[in-house]
Amino acid sequence: MDDYGEICHNSAMPKKVYGNYLPNYDMTHRVAVLDKELCQPKKCGLECIKYCPVNKSGADCITLDDITKKARIDEDVCNGCGICVKVCPFDAITIVNLASELASEKIHQFGPNSFRLYKLPTPKKGEVVGLLGRNGMGKSTVVNILSGSLKPNLGQYENPPEWDEILKHYGGTELKAHFEKIRQQQIKTSIKPQQVHHIAQAFDGTGKDLVDMYDERGVASSLVRDLGLENSMEQNLGELSGGELQRIAITAAVSKDAEFYFFDEPSSYNDVFQRTNVARVIRGLAEIGKSVMVVEHDLTLLDFLSDYIEVLYGEPTAYGIVSSALSTKVGINVFLDGYLPNENVRFRDKKFSFDVSSSSDDFQQGSKVVSYPKLEKRYATFHASMEPGAVRKGEVLGIMGANALGKTTMMKMIAGVEKPDAGKIDKKIKIAYKPQYLQNDIDVEVVSLLGKANEGPIEGSQEEEQILEPLKIKKLYNKSLKNLSGGELQKVAVATCLLQKADMYALDEPSAFLDVEDRIAVAKFLQKFVRSFGRSAVVIDHDLQLMDLISDSIVIFEGEPGLSGRATSPLPKSEAMNRFLKSLDMSFRRDERSLRPRVNKSASRLDKEQKGSGRFYYKN
């Protein structure tokens, strides 16, 4: 191997970063990021400082900061060898070498060895721009900058530039006019935040009180009706479900009279029917000439409401780069491919595909793990009934339907947690259950929680190799559960469920808070897991693409939410999807390139043609 090959082999320059490997280090822009939570100098031997070749030559590349007592890396001195990345026992260091021209595109950096953002998306009047990327790529930073709540420092965090310099940087671009309005405090923005539960903590009042406070356009009453909130407005925010709180936050944001609207993950906690209504409300803003930007990980929703897509890529929590604007179809396909042809950038080693043959409707592998007769369950104000069915070894059974129809009740009856009022399940099986709502209010390290689920040490075990490495959990071992992000907590919860010794794994909304990459990776891993080890799984989720990807057969819940729910027997996937899409008045086609299910634009030629023939779910 020549010297350059040796450098590439031993360095931290993964193929997924900006451009190809660069043999001339002078032509690179160094990014060195330290995760201060993971960095634990008192628990390690300061290997990063000891083994740094630049330090050994007499220079101070990696030092121990006198104030933070954490490692500090001088990016100007660092040669990008990546040795510190390999020797750090806590995976706290990220070193990446980017193309040198990106240095002039830096928009904001929070401090030394911290996250930095390159480029910005451009708001478009009368259009919905979707932002698509992994968690930790800077979407929140984008929101704060474009809304005027964060002044971009162009990477000069020690001596931030004044507005004259910022406007000069954006001379000749559409963003210059946007920043001029921010400077003069002439732009009005409306933001629906990601963490809607914070609204309930900060505002002591009813849903009506909150919406009335922001109803500058006089549209609140129609939005309440469109989003099904008639029975929620008189309750205090702290008493509402996640979905109700989400839709009230959307109602308040849409009711404001603004030029620029931003919605951060509007699908969270909502079922498919509610997500469709939310999408129509958001699109209504663009139709009256407003600039709208949406961060969303549900590809079906993003496909349905976006006019353009801008991809965010890079290294989570280290750096993020914003692509140029692409059409919705091209943007989603580019993201799934992991390659931006216009910019000649490969940002992921592999592409995600939706192989039609991997989801056959005639899946009949393995014996029955459990079968059940017609079941009924009655509560004071709610009644649920389920037609007979069975779950087989190696099978993933999907459960779809609106909220409050009894999906979780079905899971609990099959597991023996709830006793049915009519019908009896003879066979007792052990089910590992991942609940919909996750708790992270305990101060315990992730590795301890995983070891408890595994009934033994996890490090070096076969389960670590089979489950935790594919789900990329190992980096979280030394983090406290209470400090995990929503996506990290979800992956740990899925892993904790799968580590248990069970006949069947029941997962309630495993996609919540996961970004698109993790949703696809978790879906494909779970399907491979149950087939390889002869297990079975039952999955409840509202992400249509995830359910299409993961399910072998599907149960559809119908009825009147909160009053009565009726479940079908397990149906072949094409029949179930066709029935469900019909209830949504939505039709799917397969993208000719990625084979992913795509939503037909409402009233388009293909939409009318498929609905006219009764083919709401189209399969090549």
Side-chain angles (χ1 to χ4, degrees):
M1 185 181 292
D2 57 24
D3 291 340
Y4 170 51
E6 188 66 32
I7 290 172
C8 285
H9 180 72
N10 291 322
S11 75
M13 292 190 290
K15 294 178 183 177
K16 61 186 172 186
V17 302
Y18 191 88
N20 297 319
Y21 289 146
L22 301 172
N24 185 349
Y25 276 89
D26 293 334
M27 297 299 290
T28 63
H29 166 61
R30 195 89 62 236
V31 172
V33 177
L34 180 80
D35 187 320
K36 291 183 174 59
E37 184 185 352
L38 291 178
C39 179
Q40 302 181 57
K42 292 182 179 180
K43 293 185 178 180
C44 74
L46 300 175
E47 285 92 341
C48 59
I49 295 175
K50 289 180 182 178
Y51 294 106
C52 174
V54 180
N55 281 7
K56 287 183 176 181
S57 70
D60 289 330
C61 177
I62 307 180
T63 57
L64 196 64
D65 190 279
D66 292 334
I67 299 175
T68 65
K69 304 301 180 183
K70 305 283 185 178
R72 179 162 179 167
I73 305 167
D74 189 328
E75 294 176 355
D76 294 328
V77 176
C78 175
N79 68 5
C81 69
I83 290 176
C84 58
V85 177
K86 291 181 169 61
V87 299
C88 175
F90 303 113
D91 292 325
I93 300 173
T94 300
I95 305 286
V96 180
N97 297 290
L98 304 179
S100 58
E101 59 264 27
L102 265 181
S104 63
E105 301 277 7
K106 190 186 292 185
I107 303 304
H108 197 80
Q109 184 172 341
F110 289 92
N113 302 147
S114 66
F115 179 85
R116 69 283 319 262
L117 176 72
Y118 299 87
K119 305 183 184 180
L120 278 174
T122 303
K124 296 181 182 293
K125 190 173 182 179
E127 309 281 4
V128 178
V129 177
L131 301 186
L132 179 56
R134 299 211 64 184
N135 290 329
M137 291 295 187
K139 294 186 288 292
S140 297
T141 305
V142 167
V143 178
N144 291 331
I145 290 174
L146 291 180
S147 66
S149 60
L150 177 65
K151 187 178 178 181
N153 62 23
L154 306 182
Q156 303 168 37
Y157 53 86
E158 293 181 327
N159 186 24
E162 296 300 324
W163 275 113
D164 287 340
E165 185 179 343
I166 295 170
L167 293 174
K168 183 179 178 181
H169 178 83
Y170 283 102
T173 71
E174 295 178 67
L175 279 170
K176 182 180 180 182
H178 185 86
F179 282 121
E180 283 177 336
K181 288 184 178 180
I182 290 177
R183 179 188 191 181
Q184 296 165 11
Q185 297 183 335
Q186 293 179 343
I187 192 168
K188 192 171 181 183
T189 61
S190 179
I191 299 173
K192 197 293 293 180
Q194 179 190 41
Q195 303 293 346
V196 292
H197 63 274
H198 289 166
I199 300 172
Q201 295 168 0
F203 184 82
D204 185 17
T206 66
K208 186 177 186 304
D209 294 336
L210 180 70
V211 170
D212 286 348
M213 183 185 300
Y214 291 101
D215 189 18
E216 299 167 346
R217 296 173 51 224
V219 296
S221 58
S222 62
L223 291 173
V224 167
R225 184 177 59 254
D226 292 342
L227 296 179
L229 290 167
E230 295 93 336
N231 298 323
S232 309
M233 301 304 289
E234 299 300 330
Q235 299 180 56
N236 285 325
L237 295 187
E239 300 171 353
L240 298 175
S241 69
E244 289 171 319
L245 192 56
Q246 181 74 260
R247 299 196 303 285
I248 283 178
I250 291 167
T251 300
V254 174
S255 296
K256 287 183 68 176
D257 187 14
E259 295 175 63
F260 175 53
Y261 293 81
F262 197 100
F263 298 88
D264 198 345
E265 298 190 33
S267 74
S268 298
Y269 303 113
N270 287 320
D271 64 39
V272 183
F273 296 90
Q274 294 160 347
R275 293 181 187 194
T276 304
N277 292 333
V278 164
R280 292 190 173 109
V281 165
I282 293 174
R283 276 223 55 85
L285 288 169
E287 290 166 3
I288 60 172
K290 304 294 187 179
S291 297
V292 184
M293 203 167 278
V294 178
V295 171
E296 185 52 64
H297 299 302
D298 183 333
L299 287 183
T300 301
L301 186 67
L302 201 60
D303 203 1
F304 186 66
L305 64 83
S306 299
D307 298 297
Y308 296 93
I309 294 289
E310 296 201 31
V311 175
L312 279 78
Y313 60 99
E315 187 72 24
T317 71
Y319 73 96
I321 306 171
V322 182
S323 77
S324 57
L326 303 162
S327 70
T328 301
K329 173 184 176 180
V330 172
I332 294 178
N333 281 345
V334 157
F335 178 78
L336 294 173
D337 284 346
Y339 176 69
L340 288 159
N342 292 346
E343 297 160 45
N344 191 28
V345 172
R346 175 159 294 285
F347 56 88
R348 195 189 315 112
D349 292 336
K350 62 179 181 180
K351 68 178 182 178
F352 291 116
S353 60
F354 293 78
D355 187 359
V356 178
S357 64
S358 69
S359 54
S360 173
D361 285 337
D362 59 356
F363 182 87
Q364 292 294 323
Q365 178 182 341
S367 58
K368 293 178 181 178
V369 174
V370 63
S371 58
Y372 54 90
K374 183 170 182 176
L375 302 174
E376 291 191 35
K377 184 68 179 179
R378 296 180 185 87
Y379 299 93
T381 59
F382 179 74
H383 171 254
S385 64
M386 284 127 259
E387 293 299 314
V391 185
R392 300 174 181 274
K393 279 189 178 180
E395 179 182 22
V396 178
L397 174 66
I399 301 180
M400 297 171 64
N403 286 333
L405 287 179
K407 299 186 297 295
T408 303
T409 299
M410 175 181 175
M411 269 191 178
K412 290 180 176 179
M413 284 196 289
I414 294 175
V417 176
E418 291 273 4
K419 186 177 180 180
D421 295 313
K424 184 180 179 182
I425 300 176
D426 295 324
K427 187 177 180 181
K428 296 291 184 181
I429 61 170
K430 185 177 179 183
I431 295 185
Y433 177 57
K434 186 210 78 70
Q436 177 183 5
Y437 298 108
L438 307 176
Q439 301 295 326
N440 67 332
D441 52 356
I442 56 174
D443 188 9
V444 61
E445 285 191 337
V446 169
V447 67
S448 299
L449 181 72
L450 296 173
K452 185 177 180 181
N454 192 49
E455 299 177 8
I458 197 67
E459 293 179 277
S461 68
Q462 189 177 21
E463 288 80 8
E464 181 181 57
E465 180 183 350
Q466 293 172 343
I467 298 172
L468 303 181
E469 288 183 0
L471 291 176
K472 299 179 180 177
I473 303 290
K474 291 182 68 176
K475 190 172 182 178
L476 305 176
Y477 277 5
N478 297 109
K479 281 194 172 186
S480 171
L481 202 66
K482 67 177 184 178
N483 293 331
L484 297 181
S485 68
E488 291 171 339
L489 183 63
Q490 188 68 253
K491 288 206 294 184
V492 169
V494 170
T496 301
C497 177
L498 298 182
L499 282 170
Q500 297 176 55
K501 309 303 184 282
D503 304 298
M504 183 190 301
Y505 299 89
L507 298 100
D508 201 340
E509 295 199 38
S511 75
F513 304 111
L514 295 183
D515 59 43
V516 178
E517 286 196 23
D518 279 336
R519 288 183 186 202
I520 296 173
V522 167
K524 291 198 168 188
F525 172 77
L526 182 59
Q527 193 176 66
K528 181 179 179 181
F529 177 82
V530 298
R531 292 185 181 180
S532 298
F533 296 102
R535 311 288 176 83
S536 61
V538 179
V539 176
I540 296 174
D541 212 281
H542 298 296
D543 185 323
L544 284 174
Q545 293 217 10
L546 179 140
M547 296 301 281
D548 180 69
L549 179 65
I550 198 174
S551 303
D552 297 304
S553 55
I554 297 175
V555 167
I556 302 293
F557 268 80
E558 297 165 333
E560 193 170 351
L563 294 177
S564 65
R566 302 178 304 277
T568 67
S569 296
L571 301 172
K573 182 159 61 177
S574 61
E575 181 183 341
M577 289 294 289
N578 197 68
R579 179 169 174 166
F580 194 66
L581 289 171
K582 184 177 181 180
S583 68
L584 288 168
D585 192 29
M586 181 185 292
S587 65
F588 269 10
R589 70 183 185 277
R590 284 208 178 269
D591 185 85
E592 66 277 5
R593 181 175 167 187
S594 66
L595 298 182
R596 67 181 174 89
R598 288 201 65 204
V599 181
N600 291 319
K601 295 297 182 185
S602 183
S604 66
R605 178 192 60 80
L606 196 54
D607 183 55
K608 291 179 180 177
E609 179 184 309
Q610 286 185 214
K611 288 177 179 176
S613 64
R615 291 185 296 110
F616 289 79
Y617 176 68
Y618 182 66
K619 190 171 180 181
N620 291 23

